[in-house]
Amino acid sequence: MDLLAEAMREAIRLITTGDSDVYGITARTLAVTATSTLVAMLIGLPIGFALALMNFPGRRALVTLANAGTGAPPVIAGLAVSIMLWRSGPLGWMGLIYTPAAIVIAQAMIATPIIVAVSAAALMALPPHLRLQLRAMGANDAQYLWLLAREARLSLLIAIIAGFGAVVSEVGASMMVGGNIAGETRLLTTAAVVEVSRGHFGTALAFGFILLALIVAVSVVLTAVQQRARRT
Amino acid sequence: MIADAPALSVRGLRIERGGREVLHLERLNVGATETLAVLGPNGAGKSTLLRSAGLLLPAAEGVVALFGETPRRSRDRVRLRRMTSTVLQEPALLDMSVAANIETALTLHGVERPQRRRRAEEWLDRLDVAHLAGAHAHTLSSGEAQRVSLARAFAVRPRLLLLDEPFTALDPETRSRLVGDVRTLLHEERAAALLATHDQTEAALVAGRVLILLKGEVAQGGGVIDVLHRPATPEVAAFLGYSLLDAALARRLLEEGAQDPAAAGTTARMAAVHPDAVELLDTAAALEHAIRAPVLNVGSAHGSARVIVDVGAPLAASVAVERVVGTDLRAGAAVAIRLDPDGLVWY
């Protein structure tokens, strides 16, 4: 209990005194995970729509792959990105290893299958006669997709929340491809790992509290959006 | 688009699903203000025909033209679809208010905002659901939802309505009123319409002409009354609720009832008996010229009781419910019946 109390005090101290290190790490965590989620949305949502609405060879295999991807260990993504971006690796010339960009790539790989699988499931769950009705009403392709997305909006938001949740709480891949360099690629999760290895449990817990607060804050905002969408 | 062209014109249409032919329609025209009922059992291809008419299904073979135009490109199909309206058995309303549902349909049809509101109000009123304008579409009862779905279909001023069993999922009272309302609206709007149904009464009330589909093929087409009274084949007769008897058996039954079997001619091999042509006699009267037969089943059909008796083959009789209530008329009982020769069709 002493440890917990001490950690609380430390967390409050770090936050209230405006420790620039903590703010820097928190801001970077938000920026990196938001970018990863955005990239995963841009790739994942079109694939999710295609899997749900189109029929093409290999569709089932892709759905299975996406479903499997939702449970894939982040370390696998980290490993794959590391190998690609390693200085002597195929994309090593880009010089991205141990940069925030490398973390964004690895995290997007983690979030994309989640967004694909959840958004595809959401659209497939819409009543089939609804799709027929929209076409019958003379919706062109853009109107058709827009109205379907609107019908599935609550579930699509869950897809995005799930993708964000997976990357913001992930540590293995970020550690591997980012290198946990202070002031450059250190995130809340990787910072907590380092503090524990140094025996600074209080500081580690402080990072943990901030991370939790961050996830709760983002969930509150997105849930508010979701519930407002429900009423309209 | 050609002026005065039929609303729908189909030639040599074949639709396949999973490599199996589900609809074959050699030739069909629906006039610009005509209502055609498409009558058939479940799985006969009614929905397939309506979806083809709505340019929503690819054809394996053949041509579907709307208003004299055969669409070649996707954008032509979208443009022609906007001159039609589809109402499905399940009222597929969007997750928004009732008024917004109708305004969304009008938006797809390019109607300007001020007109959208006015037209949504007008049509909700004409279908007696104006009071629901602000309600969320997913809070409606099935009858209310179908009224909104119909309001949405009419509001876009379609030149062809495709009504795919819109009344099937409704309770009898709601259904009856809505059939009446749609009958009036189709008359007032002077639009063409296809009504898919398996209910002959619905077909007769709403449409002037009927097309009977059985197993994906046209079994008979023509004026509603003609088709209902003169089914062209034993299969059509069976679908319409006639009992099929061997011609020899039917002749014998007429003779036993002291009626003239001459109408049968000598070549007929089969007879179809309309349930109204089977009279259930008062056993108390103990009539001499009657056929005695055991009852197989007493069920319900279209507001009356349907008594099936065993005359060597099952024979259905339409009987007023009052004749059944409080009596011993149930499976196993013996009854006396007589056939009305005018209600028989010979094949």
mmCIF file of all heavy atoms in Angstrom, chain A residues 21 24-25 28-29 32 97-101 103 178-187:
data_model
loop_
_atom_site.group_PDB
_atom_site.id
_atom_site.type_symbol
_atom_site.label_atom_id
_atom_site.label_comp_id
_atom_site.label_asym_id
_atom_site.label_seq_id
_atom_site.Cartn_x
_atom_site.Cartn_y
_atom_site.Cartn_z
ATOM 1 N N ASP A 21 9.078 16.504 -18.959
ATOM 2 C CA ASP A 21 9.322 15.161 -19.469
ATOM 3 C C ASP A 21 7.996 14.396 -19.618
ATOM 4 O O ASP A 21 7.705 13.822 -20.670
ATOM 5 C CB ASP A 21 10.232 14.437 -18.478
ATOM 6 C CG ASP A 21 11.174 13.498 -19.202
ATOM 7 O OD1 ASP A 21 11.437 13.773 -20.404
ATOM 8 O OD2 ASP A 21 11.615 12.509 -18.585
ATOM 9 N N GLY A 24 5.853 15.859 -22.275
ATOM 10 C CA GLY A 24 6.405 15.530 -23.589
ATOM 11 C C GLY A 24 6.018 14.118 -24.005
ATOM 12 O O GLY A 24 5.558 13.868 -25.122
ATOM 13 N N ILE A 25 6.185 13.197 -23.052
ATOM 14 C CA ILE A 25 5.881 11.786 -23.349
ATOM 15 C C ILE A 25 4.380 11.607 -23.639
ATOM 16 O O ILE A 25 3.988 10.922 -24.584
ATOM 17 C CB ILE A 25 6.323 10.884 -22.168
ATOM 18 C CG1 ILE A 25 7.868 10.874 -22.097
ATOM 19 C CG2 ILE A 25 5.810 9.464 -22.344
ATOM 20 C CD1 ILE A 25 8.403 10.134 -20.883
ATOM 21 N N ARG A 28 3.537 13.083 -27.016
ATOM 22 C CA ARG A 28 4.049 12.241 -28.094
ATOM 23 C C ARG A 28 3.193 10.980 -28.238
ATOM 24 O O ARG A 28 2.858 10.566 -29.342
ATOM 25 C CB ARG A 28 5.506 11.862 -27.819
ATOM 26 C CG ARG A 28 6.165 11.163 -29.005
ATOM 27 C CD ARG A 28 7.645 10.854 -28.778
ATOM 28 N NE ARG A 28 8.351 12.020 -28.287
ATOM 29 C CZ ARG A 28 8.895 12.099 -27.068
ATOM 30 N NH1 ARG A 28 8.812 11.073 -26.233
ATOM 31 N NH2 ARG A 28 9.509 13.181 -26.681
ATOM 32 N N THR A 29 2.817 10.420 -27.073
ATOM 33 C CA THR A 29 1.978 9.211 -27.105
ATOM 34 C C THR A 29 0.678 9.499 -27.855
ATOM 35 O O THR A 29 0.268 8.727 -28.734
ATOM 36 C CB THR A 29 1.665 8.742 -25.673
ATOM 37 O OG1 THR A 29 2.886 8.517 -24.998
ATOM 38 C CG2 THR A 29 0.839 7.471 -25.683
ATOM 39 N N VAL A 32 1.430 10.075 -31.654
ATOM 40 C CA VAL A 32 1.787 8.847 -32.378
ATOM 41 C C VAL A 32 0.582 7.922 -32.524
ATOM 42 O O VAL A 32 0.280 7.430 -33.613
ATOM 43 C CB VAL A 32 2.954 8.121 -31.664
ATOM 44 C CG1 VAL A 32 3.121 6.710 -32.199
ATOM 45 C CG2 VAL A 32 4.242 8.907 -31.848
ATOM 46 N N ILE A 97 14.065 3.409 -38.804
ATOM 47 C CA ILE A 97 14.114 2.641 -37.567
ATOM 48 C C ILE A 97 14.481 3.565 -36.399
ATOM 49 O O ILE A 97 15.278 4.492 -36.570
ATOM 50 C CB ILE A 97 15.113 1.457 -37.691
ATOM 51 C CG1 ILE A 97 14.988 0.482 -36.529
ATOM 52 C CG2 ILE A 97 16.552 1.941 -37.820
ATOM 53 C CD1 ILE A 97 13.844 -0.474 -36.642
ATOM 54 N N TYR A 98 13.825 3.342 -35.247
ATOM 55 C CA TYR A 98 13.979 4.175 -34.055
ATOM 56 C C TYR A 98 13.491 5.602 -34.255
ATOM 57 O O TYR A 98 14.060 6.550 -33.742
ATOM 58 C CB TYR A 98 15.443 4.164 -33.550
ATOM 59 C CG TYR A 98 15.932 2.778 -33.226
ATOM 60 C CD1 TYR A 98 17.245 2.399 -33.474
ATOM 61 C CD2 TYR A 98 15.069 1.840 -32.657
ATOM 62 C CE1 TYR A 98 17.695 1.113 -33.177
ATOM 63 C CE2 TYR A 98 15.494 0.557 -32.363
ATOM 64 C CZ TYR A 98 16.805 0.200 -32.622
ATOM 65 O OH TYR A 98 17.232 -1.069 -32.333
ATOM 66 N N THR A 99 12.456 5.756 -35.077
ATOM 67 C CA THR A 99 11.813 7.076 -35.207
ATOM 68 C C THR A 99 10.321 6.900 -34.884
ATOM 69 O O THR A 99 9.797 5.785 -34.946
ATOM 70 C CB THR A 99 11.904 7.637 -36.645
ATOM 71 O OG1 THR A 99 11.164 6.758 -37.507
ATOM 72 C CG2 THR A 99 13.341 7.747 -37.114
ATOM 73 N N PRO A 100 9.619 8.000 -34.570
ATOM 74 C CA PRO A 100 8.167 7.900 -34.362
ATOM 75 C C PRO A 100 7.469 7.310 -35.584
ATOM 76 O O PRO A 100 6.476 6.601 -35.448
ATOM 77 C CB PRO A 100 7.735 9.343 -34.117
ATOM 78 C CG PRO A 100 8.965 10.014 -33.589
ATOM 79 C CD PRO A 100 10.126 9.350 -34.282
ATOM 80 N N ALA A 101 7.986 7.585 -36.789
ATOM 81 C CA ALA A 101 7.363 7.062 -38.005
ATOM 82 C C ALA A 101 7.361 5.532 -37.985
ATOM 83 O O ALA A 101 6.387 4.893 -38.398
ATOM 84 C CB ALA A 101 8.101 7.574 -39.236
ATOM 85 N N ILE A 103 7.229 3.682 -35.339
ATOM 86 C CA ILE A 103 6.190 3.254 -34.394
ATOM 87 C C ILE A 103 4.815 3.350 -35.061
ATOM 88 O O ILE A 103 3.977 2.462 -34.921
ATOM 89 C CB ILE A 103 6.222 4.121 -33.115
ATOM 90 C CG1 ILE A 103 7.601 4.048 -32.464
ATOM 91 C CG2 ILE A 103 5.144 3.655 -32.140
ATOM 92 C CD1 ILE A 103 7.712 4.860 -31.180
ATOM 93 N N GLY A 178 10.848 1.513 -32.043
ATOM 94 C CA GLY A 178 11.108 2.901 -31.641
ATOM 95 C C GLY A 178 12.373 3.021 -30.819
ATOM 96 O O GLY A 178 13.032 4.065 -30.827
ATOM 97 N N GLY A 179 12.693 1.960 -30.106
ATOM 98 C CA GLY A 179 13.918 1.962 -29.337
ATOM 99 C C GLY A 179 13.821 2.695 -28.008
ATOM 100 O O GLY A 179 14.804 2.778 -27.276
ATOM 101 N N ASN A 180 12.668 3.278 -27.692
ATOM 102 C CA ASN A 180 12.448 3.950 -26.422
ATOM 103 C C ASN A 180 13.511 5.011 -26.151
ATOM 104 O O ASN A 180 14.096 5.096 -25.083
ATOM 105 C CB ASN A 180 12.421 2.910 -25.293
ATOM 106 C CG ASN A 180 11.890 3.502 -24.007
ATOM 107 O OD1 ASN A 180 11.046 4.411 -24.038
ATOM 108 N ND2 ASN A 180 12.393 3.035 -22.883
ATOM 109 N N ILE A 181 13.781 5.829 -27.159
ATOM 110 C CA ILE A 181 14.789 6.879 -27.011
ATOM 111 C C ILE A 181 14.146 8.092 -26.333
ATOM 112 O O ILE A 181 13.137 8.619 -26.823
ATOM 113 C CB ILE A 181 15.367 7.292 -28.386
ATOM 114 C CG1 ILE A 181 15.979 6.057 -29.067
ATOM 115 C CG2 ILE A 181 16.380 8.409 -28.226
ATOM 116 C CD1 ILE A 181 16.256 6.271 -30.528
ATOM 117 N N ALA A 182 14.737 8.504 -25.204
ATOM 118 C CA ALA A 182 14.175 9.612 -24.442
ATOM 119 C C ALA A 182 14.063 10.850 -25.325
ATOM 120 O O ALA A 182 14.988 11.187 -26.064
ATOM 121 C CB ALA A 182 15.052 9.910 -23.227
ATOM 122 N N GLY A 183 12.898 11.499 -25.271
ATOM 123 C CA GLY A 183 12.713 12.742 -26.024
ATOM 124 C C GLY A 183 12.446 12.509 -27.498
ATOM 125 O O GLY A 183 12.187 13.450 -28.238
ATOM 126 N N GLU A 184 12.528 11.253 -27.956
ATOM 127 C CA GLU A 184 12.276 11.005 -29.381
ATOM 128 C C GLU A 184 11.186 9.961 -29.613
ATOM 129 O O GLU A 184 10.196 10.221 -30.294
ATOM 130 C CB GLU A 184 13.564 10.557 -30.071
ATOM 131 C CG GLU A 184 14.533 11.716 -30.263
ATOM 132 C CD GLU A 184 15.793 11.273 -30.968
ATOM 133 O OE1 GLU A 184 15.698 10.394 -31.852
ATOM 134 O OE2 GLU A 184 16.864 11.797 -30.627
ATOM 135 N N THR A 185 11.402 8.771 -29.038
ATOM 136 C CA THR A 185 10.437 7.697 -29.291
ATOM 137 C C THR A 185 9.917 7.078 -28.008
ATOM 138 O O THR A 185 9.377 5.991 -28.015
ATOM 139 C CB THR A 185 11.081 6.593 -30.163
ATOM 140 O OG1 THR A 185 12.238 6.114 -29.467
ATOM 141 C CG2 THR A 185 11.455 7.089 -31.526
ATOM 142 N N ARG A 186 10.080 7.784 -26.900
ATOM 143 C CA ARG A 186 9.597 7.235 -25.630
ATOM 144 C C ARG A 186 8.107 7.550 -25.481
ATOM 145 O O ARG A 186 7.690 8.690 -25.592
ATOM 146 C CB ARG A 186 10.391 7.813 -24.461
ATOM 147 C CG ARG A 186 9.969 7.228 -23.122
ATOM 148 C CD ARG A 186 11.018 7.489 -22.071
ATOM 149 N NE ARG A 186 12.278 6.792 -22.389
ATOM 150 C CZ ARG A 186 13.390 6.924 -21.687
ATOM 151 N NH1 ARG A 186 13.424 7.737 -20.649
ATOM 152 N NH2 ARG A 186 14.468 6.254 -22.024
ATOM 153 N N LEU A 187 7.323 6.492 -25.257
ATOM 154 C CA LEU A 187 5.880 6.656 -25.063
ATOM 155 C C LEU A 187 5.528 6.308 -23.631
ATOM 156 O O LEU A 187 6.377 5.826 -22.879
ATOM 157 C CB LEU A 187 5.110 5.733 -26.018
ATOM 158 C CG LEU A 187 5.438 5.865 -27.500
ATOM 159 C CD1 LEU A 187 4.584 4.875 -28.304
ATOM 160 C CD2 LEU A 187 5.198 7.285 -27.994
#
